C-alpha cells in the first residue's frame, strides 16, 4: 500500500492504515460499508448516481474530469468503448448483492435510498396498465397488512402463554381430576356446587396431599406439598434450560437489550427466527411456572419482534431491506408491551422512548395500529378471565391528598436507590458468571437457582405466589368480602359505614407486614442472581413486585399514623371525623411498583402511561408521575445506565446510545485510522490505508487485496500519488462482481484491468477490461480532518452511518467507523475499548 505525506500549516501527516482484523473483530462492527451523502435535502444513493452517469449526464462527466484532473473523452466515446471493450457485471449480480453479513451494522442511508428508488420506480410505472396499478396498491397497503398480522400473532401468542403459564403454575400445588387441562380457578368454575376452602380451592380441585389421601389438617400434608412444589419447580426449570441450550440459545434472557441493538442497525442472524420464537414462548411458561423471580412480560417484546421478523419476509419490501424491516420491528415491540400489560398506548411510547432507534411518523401510526390489534386479540381471548384487559384492575377511586406527595416522592427515591443497587450487583454477578467456570454449566446454575428459590419461597405465602398474583393482591383495597390477614382490621361493625375509610390494624395486618418485609428482602436478593440465567426471563414483574411490597408496607404505616393522630393539623383534611379517615395502601403499592420499575429501567413517560393503563387508575397519574421522575433523578445521580443499557455494555454490543451527550473537545483527526503524526510527535503507528485506484489495477491485484485483508469496503482514489477520492466500494459487491465476471464472461482473466471511472485509458491490444462503476458509491459521506467529534458522533447517531471518510483539500486521509467512535467514547470514559465486540 502506498504511503504519502503532505505538509499543511503545522500539521505533518503520515497516512498509514491497514487494520489487522482477527475473527472476533470481524464479528464486531468495525466493518466499513457503503454510504450516501445528503444532496439537496435528500439522500442520493450510488445507484442514482449510476443512473445519471449512464444516461449521458454532462454534470457527471464533468465531475469525473475534475476528479482525474485532465480533459478526457466524454461519455459518448465511453459508451462506444464500453460496448466493445468493457464488461459491466452489475446487471448479472445475484440477488444477495449488497446484503449484510452476520454481526455487521446496516447502512441506514443506503437502504432508505434503495427503498426510495424502488418506490419511485413503482410510481413511474403506475400508469402503464392495470397490473402496475395493482402492484402500486399492494406496495401502499403492505405495511399495514404486515403490522396487522404481527399484532394478531402477538395477541394469540400472548393469550396462549398466559393460559399455559397459569395452568403450569397451579400444577405445582394440585390438579383438576375431572379435566386436567384446567387450572385451579377454571376447575372450580366447572363445578355446579362449589365450596371454597381456606386456600382458595374447591372440591373439584385436588391438592397433591389430598390426592395421596393425607388430610390438610395434618403435618404430612404440608411436607408433601412442600416436596412436590420443589420437584415440579426443578422439572420446569430443567426443561426450560434444556430447550434453550439445545434448540435456541438466543431464547434466554429478556431480549430487550438485543432488540435495542438490532433496532439500532446491528445484524444478529437467528435471534428473531422461528425456533427462537417457539422456544422462547414455551420457555417463558416453564420458567414462570418454576416459581423463579422473573416475569414473562419483558420477553413478550422479543416474542412480538420474532413475529414481526417472520411476517416481514412475506413482503419483499421489508424482508429484503434491513432499514425498512426495523420499522416493522419497532411496531412489533409496541405490540409486545401492549399484550404484556394490556397497555397499547404505553406500548407505543415504550417503543419510542426505550427501544427504537429510527422512528418516523408513519412508524408511530403503524405501531399504534399494531398495538391496538394485539390488545384487541388478547381481549378476545380473555386469558385473565375477568373481562378486563388490564392485568391489575382496581375498582376504587378514593382521593389522594397533597401531603401524601411526600411519601410518594420518598417512594420514588427508594425506587431509584433500589434500581441502582440491583443494576450494580446484577452486573457484577453476570461478569463473574462470564469469567468463571459457572458460565460453563448453565443448566446446573438454573437448577441451583430454582432449588434455592423454591426452598425459600414456599414457607412464605407472599413469595409462594407468582409475581403477578402478588402485585394484584397488593394494589387491591380491603373490602367487606376480604378475609385475608392483609385486610385484618379492627372495624366498628356497629357503625353505619363499617368499611368506609381506614381502620386500626389488627394482628393479621402486623403478621402480613412482617411476611412482606421478608418477601421484600428475599425478592430483592434472589432477582439479582436470577436475571441473566439461561432461561427466558423478564424484569418488569419482579421489579414491580419489590416496589409494590415496599409501597404497601409504607401505605399501611401512613394509614396507621393518620389513624393514631386524626386531629393533627397535618391530617385534618384526610379525616372527616375521628372515626373516618381515608388512606389507600393499595395506591402506595401502585406508586411503589412504578418507582421500582423506573429505577431499574429508567423509563419515565412510557412507565407512567403503562401504569395507569395497567391498573385503570387514571386519577392517580400525578402521584405516579412524581414517583417516576424522582426515581429516575435518584437513579441517574447514582449511576447513569439503566439495566438494559448496562447489559448492552456488558455483552459488548455495538450500540451508540442516542440519549448520551458527547461533550469532549476532540476532532476527527484524533479518531480516524490511520492516526497521523501531529506536531512531530507520533500519536499512533497505524499501517497504511488500503485503497483501490480507479483505473490502474488488475483483477489479480484486487483479488490479492481481498485475500490479504478483512475490510468490508475500500475507498477508491484517482491514483496512489494524488489520493483524490473517487468513491467507495463494498467488499461483498466487489467479490460478487469479480466472481460473476470470471465465471460467466469470456475474455476476463487475472490480468484484466479493472475500471471504476466513466472514462478509461486502455490498451486495445490487451485483455478485456472489467468496468465496475455501477457498484461504486460516488457520494460517500465525507468529513474533514478538523471536523469536531461532537458533530461526527451526531452524524453516526442521526444518519445511522457505518463509516465516514476523512479528507483534507479533497485528498483521502483516513476513515472513521462506528466501532472507532465507540472505542473513542470508551477511552474518554476510562473504559476498556476492546470490550466493544460481539461476545
Amino acid at each position: 500500500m502506498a504511503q504519502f505525506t503532505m505538509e499543511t500549516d503545522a500539521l505533518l501527516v503520515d497516512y498509514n492504515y491497514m487494520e489487522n482484523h482477527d475473527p472476533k473483530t470481524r464479528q464486531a462492527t468495525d466493518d466499513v460499508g457503503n454510504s450516501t451523502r445528503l444532496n439537496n435535502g435528500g439522500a442520493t444513493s450510488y445507484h442514482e448516481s449510476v443512473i445519471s452517469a449512464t444516461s449521458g449526464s454532462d454534470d457527471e462527466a464533468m465531475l469525473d474530469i475534475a476528479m482525474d484532473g485532465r480533459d478526457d473523452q466524454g461519455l459518448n466515446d465511453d459508451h462506444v468503448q464500453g460496448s466493445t471493450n468493457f464488461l459491466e457485471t452489475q446487471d448479472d449480480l445475484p440477488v444477495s448483492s449488497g446484503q449484510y453479513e452476520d454481526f455487521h451494522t446496516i447502512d441506514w442511508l443506503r437502504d432508505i435510498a434503495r427503498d426510495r428508488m424502488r418506490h419511485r420506480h413503482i410510481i413511474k410505472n403506475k400508469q402503464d396498465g392495470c397490473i402496475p396499478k395493482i402492484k402500486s396498491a399492494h406496495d401502499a397497503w403492505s405495511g399495514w397488512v404486515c403490522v396487522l398480522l404481527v399484532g394478531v400473532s402477538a395477541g394469540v401468542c400472548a393469550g396462549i402463554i398466559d393460559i399455559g403459564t397459569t395452568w403450569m403454575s397451579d400444577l405445582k400445588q394440585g390438579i383438576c381430576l375431572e379435566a386436567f387441562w384446567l387450572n385451579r380457578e377454571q376447575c372450580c368454575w366447572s363445578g355446579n356446587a362449589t365450596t371454597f376452602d381456606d386456600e382458595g380451592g374447591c372440591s373439584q380441585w385436588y391438592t397433591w396431599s389430598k390426592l395421596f389421601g393425607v388430610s390438610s389438617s395434618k403435618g404430612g400434608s404440608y411436607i408433601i406439598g412442600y416436596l412436590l412444589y420443589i420437584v415440579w419447580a426443578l422439572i420446569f426449570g430443567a426443561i426450560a434450560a434444556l430447550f434453550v441450550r439445545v434448540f435456541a440459545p438466543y431464547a434466554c434472557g429478556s431480549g430487550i437489550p438485543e432488540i435495542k441493538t438490532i433496532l439500532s442497525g446491528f445484524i444478529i442472524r437467528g435471534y428473531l427466527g422461528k425456533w427462537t420464537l417457539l422456544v422462547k414462548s414455551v420457555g417463558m411458561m416453564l420458567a414462570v411456572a418454576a416459581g423463579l423471580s422473573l416475569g414473562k412480560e419483558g420477553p413478550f417484546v422479543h416474542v412480538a419482534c420474532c413475529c414481526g421478523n417472520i411476517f416481514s419476509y412475506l413482503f419483499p419490501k421489508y424482508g429484503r431491506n434491513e432499514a425498512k424491516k426495523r420499522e416493522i420491528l419497532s411496531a412489533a415491540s409496541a405490540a409486545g408491551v401492549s399484550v404484556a400489560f394490556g397497555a397499547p398506548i404505553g406500548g407505543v411510547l415504550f417503543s419510542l422512548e426505550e427501544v427504537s432507534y429510527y422512528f418516523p411518523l408513519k412508524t408511530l401510526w403503524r405501531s399504534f395500529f399494531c398495538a391496538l390489534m394485539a390488545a384487541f386479540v388478547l381481549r378476545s381471548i380473555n386469558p385473565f378471565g375477568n373481562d378486563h384487559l388490564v392485568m391489575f384492575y382496581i375498582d376504587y377511586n378514593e382521593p389522594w391528598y397533597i401531603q401524601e406527595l411526600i411519601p410518594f416522592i420518598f417512594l420514588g427515591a427508594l425506587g431509584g436507590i433500589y434500581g441502582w443497587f440491583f443494576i450494580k450487583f446484577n452486573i457484577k454477578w453476570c461478569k463473574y458468571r462470564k469469567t468463571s467456570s459457572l458460565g460453563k454449566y448453565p443448566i446446573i446454575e438454573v437448577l441451583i437457582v430454582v432449588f434455592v428459590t423454591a426452598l425459600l419461597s414456599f414457607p412464605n405465602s407472599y413469595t409462594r405466589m407468582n409475581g403477578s398474583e402478588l402485585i394484584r393482591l397488593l394494589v387491591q383495597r380491603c373490602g367487606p368480602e376480604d378475609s385475608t390477614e392483609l385486610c385484618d382490621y379492627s372495624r366498628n361493625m356497629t357503625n353505619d359505614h363499617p368499611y368506609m375509610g381506614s381502620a386500626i390494624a389488627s394482628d393479621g395486618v402486623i403478621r402480613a407486614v412482617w411476611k412482606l418485609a421478608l418477601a421484600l428482602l428475599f425478592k430483592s436478593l434472589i432477582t439479582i442472581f436470577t436475571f441473566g440465567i439461561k432461561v427466558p426471563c423478564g424484569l418488569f414483574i419482579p421489579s414491580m413486585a419489590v416496589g409494590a411490597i415496599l409501597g404497601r408496607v409504607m401505605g399501611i404505616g401512613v394509614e396507621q399514623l393518620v389513624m393514631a393522630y386524626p386531629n393533627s393539623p397535618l391530617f385534618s383534611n384526610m379525616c372527616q371525623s375521628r372515626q373516618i379517615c381515608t388512606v389507600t395502601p393499595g395506591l402506595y403499592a401502585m406508586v411503589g411498583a412504578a418507582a421500582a420499575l423506573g429505577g431499574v429501567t429508567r423509563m419515565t413517560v412510557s412507565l407512567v402511561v403503562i401504569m395507569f393503563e395497567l391498573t385503570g387508575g387514571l386519577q392517580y397519574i400525578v402521584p405516579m408521575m412524581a414517583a417516576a421522575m424522582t426515581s429516575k433523578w435518584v437513579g441517574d445521580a447514582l449511576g447513569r445506565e439503566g439495566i438494559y443499557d448496562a447489559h448492552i455494555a456488558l455483552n459488548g454490543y455495538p450500540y451508540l446510545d442516542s440519549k448520551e451527550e458527547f461533550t469532549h473537545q476532540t476532532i476527527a483527526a484524533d479518531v480516524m485510522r490511520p492516526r497521523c503524526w501531529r506536531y512531530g510527535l507520533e500519536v499512533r503507528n497505524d499501517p497504511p490505508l488500503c485503497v483501490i485506484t480507479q483505473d490502474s489495477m488488475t483483477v489479480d491485484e484486487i483479488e490479492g487485496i481481498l485475500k490479504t485483508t478483512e475490510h468490508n469496503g475500500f475507498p477508491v482514489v484517482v491514483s496512489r500519488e494524488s489520493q483524490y477520492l473517487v468513491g467507495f466500494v463494498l467488499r461483498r459487491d466487489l467479490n460478487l462482481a469479480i466472481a460473476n465476471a470470471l465465471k460467466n464472461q469470456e475474455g476476463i482473466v487475472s490480468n484484466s484491468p479493472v475500471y471504476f471511472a466513466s472514462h478509461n485509458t486502455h490498451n486495445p491490444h490487451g485483455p478485456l477490461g472489467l468496468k465496475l462503476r455501477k457498484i461504486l458509491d460516488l457520494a460517500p459521506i465525507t468529513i474533514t480532518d478538523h471536523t469536531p467529534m461532537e458533530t461526527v458522533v451526531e452524524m453516526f447517531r442521526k444518519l445511522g452511518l457505518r463509516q465516514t471518510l476523512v479528507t483534507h483539500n479533497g485528498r483521502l486521509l483516513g476513515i472513521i467507523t462506528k466501532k472507532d467512535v465507540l472505542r473513542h467514547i470508551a477511552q474518554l470514559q476510562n473504559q476498556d475499548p476492546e470490550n466493544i465486540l460481539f461476545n
Side-chain angles (χ1 to χ4, degrees):
M1 301 306 147
Q3 290 186 347
F4 62 96
T5 58
M6 59 176 284
E7 194 169 347
T8 58
D9 300 331
L11 181 64
L12 182 63
V13 186
D14 182 17
Y15 309 109
N16 302 320
Y17 174 63
M18 180 183 293
E19 284 195 38
N20 297 317
H21 291 268
D22 57 38
K24 289 186 177 179
T25 308
R26 293 203 304 273
Q27 290 181 344
T29 56
D30 195 4
D31 50 341
V32 284
N34 191 25
S35 63
T36 60
R37 175 179 294 148
L38 294 179
N39 293 328
N40 300 325
T44 304
S45 73
Y46 72 93
H47 296 286
E48 295 174 284
S49 302
V50 170
I51 291 174
S52 64
T54 56
S55 61
S57 168
D58 291 335
D59 292 338
E60 186 69 28
M62 292 303 297
L63 176 62
D64 289 335
I65 292 171
M67 283 184 176
D68 198 36
R70 60 179 182 270
D71 191 2
D72 247 339
Q73 290 179 317
L75 288 177
N76 292 330
D77 291 343
D78 181 63
H79 279 297
V80 175
Q81 297 165 355
S83 63
T84 58
N85 295 286
F86 296 98
L87 176 66
E88 297 198 22
T89 63
Q90 179 69 15
D91 296 335
D92 299 325
L93 288 181
V95 178
S96 60
S97 176
Q99 296 299 309
Y100 303 102
E101 300 289 344
D102 201 6
F103 306 133
H104 282 192
T105 302
I106 71 171
D107 193 327
W108 287 91
L109 290 181
R110 183 191 186 209
D111 284 357
I112 292 172
R114 283 175 53 205
D115 182 73
R116 187 180 294 116
M117 284 199 62
R118 181 198 56 79
H119 183 68
R120 288 174 183 169
H121 179 73
I122 292 175
I123 296 299
K124 181 180 178 180
N125 298 333
K126 184 177 180 181
Q127 306 301 326
D128 294 346
C130 182
I131 294 180
K133 287 183 179 180
I134 295 175
K135 290 182 178 180
S136 177
H138 174 269
D139 182 74
W141 53 254
S142 60
W144 293 98
V145 174
C146 187
V147 296
L148 171 65
L149 295 175
V150 173
V152 172
S153 60
V156 171
C157 289
I160 295 173
I161 292 171
D162 286 333
I163 294 173
T165 302
T166 305
W167 177 74
M168 290 184 183
S169 298
D170 288 344
L171 195 61
K172 291 187 301 181
Q173 302 180 25
I175 192 172
C176 185
L177 287 182
E178 296 180 355
F180 71 91
W181 57 88
L182 298 179
N183 60 40
R184 181 172 61 181
E185 187 176 13
Q186 294 169 340
C187 181
C188 294
W189 288 348
S190 63
N192 295 325
T194 301
T195 57
F196 293 91
D197 54 28
D198 295 337
E199 298 181 355
C202 57
S203 58
Q204 291 80 19
W205 177 259
Y206 282 78
T207 63
W208 295 114
S209 58
K210 181 180 178 181
L211 192 63
F212 290 141
V214 180
S215 174
S216 59
S217 60
K218 298 180 180 179
S221 173
Y222 182 84
I223 295 175
I224 292 175
Y226 200 164
L227 291 176
L228 287 177
Y229 182 91
I230 295 175
V231 169
W232 276 112
L234 289 172
I235 292 174
F236 290 149
I239 296 175
L242 192 64
F243 277 6
V244 170
R245 180 73 171 176
V246 175
F247 297 106
Y250 283 152
C252 65
S254 70
I256 294 180
E258 289 77 12
I259 295 299
K260 291 184 67 172
T261 307
I262 291 173
L263 288 178
S264 73
F266 197 57
I267 301 292
I268 308 179
R269 302 290 182 197
Y271 197 84
L272 301 177
K274 55 182 180 298
W275 273 109
T276 304
L277 171 63
L278 179 61
V279 174
K280 189 90 173 186
S281 301
V282 176
M284 288 163 59
M285 294 186 281
L286 292 167
V288 174
L292 291 169
S293 182
L294 48 81
K296 61 184 186 300
E297 285 66 28
F300 271 134
V301 177
H302 189 183
V303 168
C305 286
C306 288
C307 296
N309 178 66
I310 293 171
F311 281 109
S312 68
Y313 286 103
L314 300 178
F315 305 89
K317 173 182 177 181
Y318 298 102
R320 296 181 182 177
N321 192 307
E322 293 292 341
K324 294 291 293 180
K325 183 188 294 184
R326 274 144 184 79
E327 296 180 10
I328 302 298
L329 297 182
S330 293
S333 63
V337 176
S338 175
V339 296
F341 297 112
I345 301 176
V348 176
L349 293 177
F350 175 82
S351 178
L352 174 61
E353 178 184 2
E354 191 65 23
V355 298
S356 293
Y357 202 84
Y358 173 69
F359 205 83
L361 184 61
K362 61 181 177 181
T363 303
L364 177 68
W365 285 108
R366 287 175 180 170
S367 299
F368 179 77
F369 178 69
C370 187
L372 175 65
M373 294 307 301
F376 172 76
V377 172
L378 184 64
R379 173 65 179 81
S380 301
I381 297 175
N382 191 22
F384 304 124
N386 55 8
D387 292 330
H388 295 295
L389 179 60
V390 297
M391 184 181 295
F392 311 123
Y393 180 74
I394 59 173
D395 57 355
Y396 54 84
N397 55 2
E398 279 79 4
W400 62 275
Y401 301 93
I402 191 67
Q403 56 267 44
E404 289 184 288
L405 280 177
I406 297 176
F408 293 153
I409 292 175
F410 184 61
L411 274 175
L414 292 178
I417 294 172
Y418 167 73
W420 165 80
F421 169 83
F422 174 80
I423 294 171
K424 179 179 179 179
F425 288 97
N426 178 254
I427 295 298
K428 283 187 175 182
W429 178 253
C430 290
K431 286 181 179 179
Y432 173 77
R433 179 190 292 123
K434 289 169 69 76
T435 57
S436 67
S437 59
L438 181 64
K440 300 178 182 178
Y441 307 100
I443 297 180
I444 294 178
E445 182 191 9
V446 170
L447 292 177
I448 292 174
V449 174
V450 170
F451 177 76
V452 173
T453 303
L455 184 68
L456 298 180
S457 62
F458 186 85
N460 190 335
S461 59
Y462 296 110
T463 55
R464 187 189 313 171
M465 62 180 69
N466 63 49
S468 299
E469 293 179 354
L470 177 61
I471 298 172
R472 188 178 296 112
L473 174 66
L474 294 175
V475 299
Q476 294 298 321
R477 69 171 178 179
C478 293
E481 71 283 356
D482 294 314
S483 59
T484 61
E485 59 183 9
L486 196 59
C487 295
D488 184 17
Y489 287 94
S490 299
R491 301 184 183 275
N492 185 5
M493 302 305 294
T494 60
N495 192 352
D496 294 337
H497 303 284
Y499 294 100
M500 182 177 180
S502 302
I504 300 296
S506 296
D507 294 339
V509 175
I510 304 300
R511 290 194 303 270
V513 168
W514 279 108
K515 289 183 179 180
L516 287 174
L518 292 175
L520 174 65
L521 180 63
F522 171 73
K523 283 191 170 292
S524 299
L525 294 178
I526 198 63
T527 309
I528 293 174
F529 303 98
T530 304
F531 188 70
I533 61 176
K534 299 304 180 181
V535 294
C537 54
L539 199 59
F540 283 175
I541 291 298
S543 301
M544 293 175 62
V546 169
I549 293 172
L550 187 63
R552 185 76 183 202
V553 171
M554 182 175 291
I556 293 174
V558 172
E559 179 186 45
Q560 297 309 305
L561 182 64
V562 172
M563 290 302 299
Y565 303 98
N567 296 326
S568 172
L570 184 62
F571 307 131
S572 59
N573 61 330
M574 301 174 67
C575 298
Q576 300 178 12
S577 65
R578 184 177 177 84
Q579 289 78 22
I580 302 178
C581 297
T582 305
V583 177
T584 309
L587 171 59
Y588 286 78
M590 290 168 50
V591 173
L597 184 57
V600 172
T601 63
R602 307 297 162 82
M603 295 190 304
T604 52
V605 179
S606 58
L607 171 64
V608 174
V609 176
I610 288 173
M611 285 304 301
F612 80 71
E613 284 189 284
L614 193 63
T615 59
L618 182 59
Q619 66 272 29
Y620 303 126
I621 191 169
V622 173
M624 287 188 284
M625 289 175 64
M629 285 305 304
T630 306
S631 175
K632 179 171 175 57
W633 285 337
V634 173
D636 287 346
L638 297 174
R640 296 291 299 176
E641 292 181 322
I643 185 63
Y644 301 128
D645 294 328
H647 274 269
I648 287 175
L650 173 68
N651 294 321
Y653 298 143
Y655 181 75
L656 191 59
D657 195 353
S658 59
K659 301 175 184 177
E660 294 183 358
E661 295 183 3
F662 186 87
T663 58
H664 303 279
Q665 295 181 349
T666 54
I667 60 176
D670 299 326
V671 182
M672 74 175 188
R673 295 181 177 230
R675 191 71 63 87
C676 59
W677 290 63
R678 300 190 61 190
Y679 309 110
L681 299 176
E682 183 181 358
V683 180
R684 185 177 63 197
N685 185 19
D686 285 335
L689 183 65
C690 184
V691 297
I692 295 176
T693 58
Q694 67 173 351
D695 55 9
S696 61
M697 299 185 71
T698 64
V699 171
D700 188 57
E701 290 174 330
I702 292 181
E703 285 186 325
I705 292 177
L706 293 173
K707 290 177 181 178
T708 57
T709 65
E710 298 293 342
H711 313 309
N712 290 312
F714 304 93
V716 178
V717 296
V718 173
S719 66
R720 294 179 177 178
E721 291 74 23
S722 67
Q723 292 285 329
Y724 280 109
L725 181 65
V726 177
F728 193 86
V729 62
L730 282 177
R731 177 191 189 91
R732 183 178 179 84
D733 290 347
L734 196 59
N735 259 325
L736 288 170
I738 293 177
N740 185 61
L742 292 173
K743 179 180 179 181
N744 299 324
Q745 302 296 332
E746 295 183 0
I748 299 298
V749 292
S750 60
N751 63 339
S752 295
V754 178
Y755 298 99
F756 291 94
S758 60
H759 51 277
N760 305 284
T761 57
H762 63 282
N763 182 6
H765 304 291
L768 182 65
L770 178 60
K771 187 177 178 182
L772 298 180
R773 183 178 176 82
K774 283 189 176 182
I775 65 172
L776 180 65
D777 180 2
L778 295 171
I781 295 289
T782 59
I783 58 175
T784 68
D785 53 335
H786 282 81
T787 304
M789 275 306 296
E790 183 177 2
T791 303
V792 176
V793 171
E794 286 302 308
M795 291 173 64
F796 273 87
R797 286 172 176 168
K798 301 299 175 57
L799 300 180
L801 302 182
R802 299 175 85 187
Q803 84 293 313
T804 181
L805 301 176
V806 184
T807 62
H808 183 85
N809 292 338
R811 287 185 170 92
L812 179 66
L813 301 187
I815 191 169
I816 298 177
T817 66
K818 184 178 180 181
K819 188 177 179 183
D820 292 328
V821 175
L822 292 167
R823 278 174 167 167
H824 183 62
I825 294 175
Q827 288 175 337
L828 294 175
Q829 296 175 349
N830 297 320
Q831 299 174 358
D832 184 9
E834 296 306 319
N835 285 335
I836 305 171
L837 301 170
F838 185 86
N839 297 329

